């Protein structure tokens, strides 16, 4: 298997997960917040995901942006086959998938066998620090040819600072896998037993490195497929920001900021003592490296632009003026207390509450928020900061502008995902065309949504019956509040009815506003 995968673990498919950060409306907004002109997702655009896996996120984006074109590329044929099945089931004509390795794709571009137009957005999530140096060079070659001038690139990777205590642990896991061949998810189970024996026996590495011991304990609760793809790769290498930025500079890509919004503001991310040191540093690359070390973050989610055009604050606000936003949680659940690297931040209710009310009532533009009577006298920057924190906290989101066709595509994909959730699939996403992405919910709500997609009325009793029948059909259980499995169908229905009644009446109007449910 590793002969064609070039050292990457490919004997089992990667987890089929949704990644919120990849939404073009979100990426464009965050890049603009960082003071750089970004592609406008309100106009038709071209979007490519390199290393798209089974394509769930890309399929959601294509369904909610019907006027734009999407391409997914992955070297694993099992991933591409699964991605195509879902796209075909949803009937999406603006989405295509291509099975190709990075090096083969780079050759196709060099030899002129790839004839498609370049892209406004290119994203790579969880790819760059898991592949070989040769493949990283190929990725940069691909980006050099596939990204339009002014195009945006999102790239995430493990960092050297955050992972340094774990490097010996991963090296031992790789050696254990080589010594005991087998299917990688089963290898993970065996090696976790082995590593815990080693820790319990008093191995000095774990005694002197409590971070590694904590990490090992955390791994016990993580999905085996994820662990296999994270750790059992020959070329797994956490990378410092400076190395990645210098790699991407060869494709004329300039660093703009991180997709994790609070980390772009030193006053939200660092103590005054760290900020004082940063203020002394004129070199941007060194400053970013210091930030990485000061945060000790294990994972970066970064935005680059090909030929970044800096904007003054006034120009940023002007660009922001007509962009729309909305709340993506029920108004009752929204909060103005935010978790930031420095701890907890409580925003001024006099500014925040009118913003929350307006976002819950509709899809106001940034200019309309500034014009609210309750915000008279507030600075645009103060309003923008709270709005950005709400977006970062997954409470608000930019609104997309892709027309009614996107609602049709989103409805078709929601029906396809609803059919799957009635089987063994536990995806918890609801496709939301109003925001050009999806919202994440819990399993009871996801099953209730599947009932609505199947044509049931918005009746709690009927939806609870539907959810219980779906769970029982797949041999799954319903648990009481104390964690004990419930024995009878009546107990299960009563439990699900109680869970749904606690939140669904608040969430159903929200789902309608976001387009996840259509009347």
């Amino acid at each position: 298997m590793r002969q064609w995968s070039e050292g990457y673990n490919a004997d089992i498919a990667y987890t089929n997960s949704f990644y919120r950060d990849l939404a073009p409306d979100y990426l464009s907004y965050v890049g603009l917040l960082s003071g750089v002109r970004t592609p406008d997702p309100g106009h038709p655009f071209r979007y490519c995901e390199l290393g798209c896996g089974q394509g769930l996120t890309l399929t959601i984006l294509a369904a909610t942006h019907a006027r734009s074109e999407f391409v997914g590329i992955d070297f694993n044929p099992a991933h591409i086959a699964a991605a195509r099945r879902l796209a075909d089931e949803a009937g999406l004509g603006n989405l295509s998938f291509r099975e190709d390795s990075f090096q083969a794709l780079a050759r196709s571009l060099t030899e002129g066998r790839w004839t498609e137009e370049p892209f406004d957005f290119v994203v790579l999530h969880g790819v760059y620090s898991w592949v070989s140096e040769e493949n990283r060079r190929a990725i940069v070659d691909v980006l050099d040819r596939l990204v339009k001038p002014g195009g945006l690139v999102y790239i995430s990777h493990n960092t050297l600072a955050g992972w340094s205590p774990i490097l010996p642990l991963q090296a031992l896991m790789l050696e254990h896998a080589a010594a005991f061949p087998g299917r990688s998810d089963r290898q993970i189970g065996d090696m976790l037993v082995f590593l815990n024996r080693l820790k319990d026996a008093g191995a000095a590495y774990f005694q002197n490195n409590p971070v590694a011991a904590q990490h090992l304990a955390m791994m016990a609760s993580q999905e085996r497929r994820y662990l296999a793809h994270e750790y059992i790769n020959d070329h797994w290498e956490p990378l410092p920001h400076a190395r990645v930025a210098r790699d991407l500079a060869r494709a004329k890509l300039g660093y703009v900021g991180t997709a994790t919004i609070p980390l772009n503001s030193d006053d939200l991310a660092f103590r005054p003592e760290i900020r004082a040191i940063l203020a002394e540093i004129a070199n941007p690359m060194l400053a970013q490296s210091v930030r990485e070390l000061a945060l000790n973050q294990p994972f970066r989610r970064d935005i680059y632009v090909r030929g970044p055009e800096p904007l003054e604050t006034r120009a940023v606000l002007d660009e922001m003026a007509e962009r729309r936003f909305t709340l993506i949680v029920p108004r009752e659940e929204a909060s103005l207390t935010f978790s930031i690297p420095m701890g907890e931040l409580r925003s001024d209710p006099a500014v925040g509450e009118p913003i929350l009310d307006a976002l819950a009532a509709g899809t106001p533009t940034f200019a309309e928020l500034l014009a609210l009577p309750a915000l008279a006298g507030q600075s645009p920057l103060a309003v923008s900061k709270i709005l950005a924190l709400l977006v970062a906290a997954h409470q608000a989101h930019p609104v997309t502008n892709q027309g009614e066709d996107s609602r049709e595509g989103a409805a078709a994909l929601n029906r396809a995902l609803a059919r799957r959730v009635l089987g063994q699939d536990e995806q918890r996403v609801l496709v939301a065309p109003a925001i050009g992405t999806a919202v994440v919910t819990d399993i009871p709500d996801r099953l209730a949504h599947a009932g609505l997609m199947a044509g049931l009325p918005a009746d709690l009793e009927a939806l609870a019956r539907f959810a219980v029948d779906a769970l029982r059909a797949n041999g799954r259980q319903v648990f009481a509040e104390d964690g004990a499995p419930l024995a009878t169908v009546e107990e299960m229905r009563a439990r699900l009815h109680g869970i749904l009644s606690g939140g669904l009446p608040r969430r159903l109007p929200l789902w309608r506003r976001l387009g996840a449910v259509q009347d």
Side-chain angles (χ1 to χ4, degrees):
M1 184 69 72
R2 287 177 185 257
Q3 290 179 350
W4 63 263
S5 67
E6 299 178 357
Y8 185 83
N9 177 20
D11 66 330
I12 57 173
Y14 188 53
T15 55
N16 191 19
S17 302
F18 165 68
Y19 301 105
R20 167 198 188 247
D21 289 353
L22 305 191
D25 303 271
Y26 176 79
L27 291 173
S28 176
Y29 167 66
V30 178
L32 188 57
L33 281 178
S34 299
V36 172
R37 191 180 304 281
T38 55
D40 183 357
H43 298 98
F45 57 83
R46 286 177 52 76
Y47 183 110
C48 177
E49 183 175 4
L50 299 174
C52 64
Q54 298 184 57
L56 176 63
T57 302
L58 194 64
T59 304
I60 290 169
L61 299 180
T64 55
H65 296 83
R67 296 187 295 166
S68 298
E69 299 176 20
F70 293 79
V71 177
I73 302 171
D74 199 281
F75 81 137
N76 190 325
H79 287 169
I80 294 298
R84 285 174 175 162
R85 281 195 298 272
L86 180 58
D88 290 346
E89 192 175 346
L92 300 177
N94 64 333
L95 171 61
S96 63
F97 290 96
R98 174 181 176 129
E99 179 197 333
D100 233 339
S101 71
F102 298 127
Q103 294 186 54
L105 181 58
R107 287 193 297 270
S108 294
L109 287 162
T110 300
E111 297 167 4
R113 290 183 284 113
W114 174 284
T115 58
E116 292 196 34
E117 291 293 315
F119 295 91
D120 302 276
F121 296 89
V122 179
V123 301
L124 304 90
H125 181 77
V127 172
Y128 203 72
S129 52
W130 288 263
V131 297
S132 66
E133 179 66 27
E134 293 79 9
N135 275 295
R136 288 198 288 269
R137 285 198 295 268
I139 287 171
V140 176
D141 289 340
V142 168
L143 293 175
D144 190 34
R145 292 170 173 84
L146 282 192
V147 183
K148 289 181 181 178
L152 184 151
V153 171
Y154 166 96
I155 186 166
S156 62
H157 62 90
N158 283 344
T159 68
L160 182 60
W163 279 91
S164 56
I166 314 300
L167 295 179
L169 182 64
Q170 190 272 340
L172 184 58
M173 292 174 72
L174 200 60
E175 289 299 324
H176 190 279
F180 298 97
R183 207 175 79 176
S184 57
D185 54 342
R186 295 170 183 163
Q187 287 178 307
I188 288 291
D190 293 340
M191 69 179 61
L192 288 178
V193 171
F194 174 77
L195 291 169
N196 276 288
R197 284 184 59 206
L198 195 60
K199 176 180 70 68
D200 295 341
Y205 168 69
F206 291 107
Q207 291 184 340
N208 299 335
N209 188 0
V211 172
Q214 293 164 9
H215 194 85
L216 179 60
M218 178 186 69
M219 290 166 66
S221 64
Q222 293 177 308
E223 188 175 350
R224 296 293 187 262
R225 281 192 302 165
Y226 162 76
L227 293 172
H229 280 262
E230 173 66 69
Y231 295 99
I232 313 180
N233 289 305
D234 293 349
H235 302 290
W236 183 88
E237 183 181 6
L239 300 166
H241 164 79
R243 181 170 168 187
V244 177
R246 290 191 176 102
D247 287 351
L248 298 186
R250 188 162 58 83
K252 303 176 185 176
L253 291 163
Y255 176 73
V256 169
T258 171
T260 308
I261 292 175
L263 300 188
N264 290 318
S265 300
D266 287 349
D267 62 331
L268 299 179
F270 301 108
R271 299 169 52 191
E273 295 85 351
I274 299 293
R275 297 203 298 271
I277 295 172
L278 288 169
E280 300 170 3
I281 301 173
N283 183 285
M285 189 82 77
L286 177 59
Q288 198 57 229
S289 298
V290 170
R291 290 184 179 95
E292 187 170 82
L293 194 70
L295 286 168
N296 200 36
Q297 61 188 119
F299 192 67
R300 292 188 68 102
R301 302 170 174 86
D302 288 340
I303 296 173
Y304 292 77
V305 168
R306 185 175 171 94
E309 178 188 347
L311 298 173
E312 299 293 335
T313 301
R314 183 68 261 171
V316 170
L317 295 174
D318 289 343
E319 288 277 334
M320 195 91 68
E322 297 308 312
R323 298 204 180 196
R324 295 186 176 275
F325 301 84
T326 195
L327 212 60
I328 60 173
V329 297
R331 176 64 179 88
E332 301 89 337
E333 298 175 14
S335 171
L336 294 172
T337 300
F338 303 105
S339 177
I340 60 172
M342 287 285 293
E344 192 174 83
L345 175 66
R346 298 182 181 182
S347 292
D348 183 359
V351 182
E353 293 293 342
I355 294 174
L356 288 175
D357 291 341
L359 295 175
T363 60
T365 65
F366 181 65
E368 288 169 343
L369 289 175
L370 294 179
L372 291 172
L375 297 182
Q378 296 292 340
S379 76
L381 290 178
V383 174
S384 178
K385 183 175 183 178
I386 290 183
L387 182 60
L389 287 168
L390 288 168
V391 173
H394 301 193
Q395 297 187 70
H397 198 277
V399 171
T400 194
N401 179 26
Q402 291 281 314
E404 285 301 314
D405 289 346
S406 294
R407 289 187 171 266
E408 294 175 10
L413 182 55
N414 266 328
R415 287 191 293 270
L417 292 173
R419 288 189 292 270
R420 292 174 175 225
V421 84
L422 297 180
Q424 295 297 327
D425 196 329
E426 292 194 357
Q427 286 295 340
R428 298 184 297 153
V429 293
L430 309 182
V431 185
I435 56 174
T437 181
V439 291
V440 178
T441 188
D442 58 22
I443 290 297
D445 274 2
R446 185 67 190 85
L447 289 169
H449 183 268
L452 295 171
M453 292 293 98
L456 289 179
D459 175 77
L460 292 177
E461 185 62 39
L463 293 174
R465 286 198 302 271
F466 179 89
V468 169
D469 290 347
L471 291 170
R472 294 180 67 241
N474 289 285
R476 294 157 69 186
Q477 293 181 300
V478 178
F479 298 90
E481 193 170 354
D482 63 2
L486 297 174
T488 69
V489 173
E490 291 74 17
E491 289 175 322
M492 295 178 190
R493 289 175 178 168
R495 172 68 172 152
L496 264 296
H497 185 280
I499 292 172
L500 293 176
S501 63
L504 190 60
R506 295 196 304 272
R507 284 187 278 278
L508 192 53
L510 172 68
W511 294 352
R512 290 194 175 101
R513 177 159 52 80
L514 298 179
V517 171
Q518 300 179 27
D519 295 324

